[in-house]
Amino acid sequence: MTQLVDILMALLIPILLIILIVIIVKWIGSIKPPKPDSELEEIKKQLDRIEKKVDKSE
């Protein structure tokens, strides 16, 4: 009987951990909504400017 319980626990714990991780990831994803494309483009432009400044300073 105890072997059966051990086997069930060994199977159940990883499944519960995976479910918990998925729930946490979804929860974090819902807190920070994805940025709109316009904001992403602005960030890319700023990064390009920074890279150009770094290249000039070398």
Side-chain angles (χ1 to χ4, degrees):
M1 184 66 190
T2 57
Q3 287 181 334
L4 182 64
V5 172
D6 287 343
I7 292 170
L8 287 174
M9 289 299 281
L11 292 173
L12 196 63
I13 289 172
I15 293 170
L16 288 175
L17 283 174
I18 292 169
I19 292 171
L20 186 66
I21 289 169
V22 168
I23 290 171
I24 290 171
V25 166
K26 285 185 178 181
W27 181 66
I28 290 172
S30 68
I31 289 175
K32 296 187 290 186
K35 293 188 175 188
D37 288 340
S38 59
E39 286 186 36
L40 287 176
E41 289 298 322
E42 189 63 35
I43 291 170
K44 286 179 185 175
K45 288 178 186 175
Q46 290 174 358
L47 281 174
D48 287 341
R49 287 185 207 133
I50 292 168
E51 287 175 353
K52 287 176 186 174
K53 288 179 182 176
V54 170
D55 288 342
K56 287 179 182 176
S57 66
E58 288 179 351

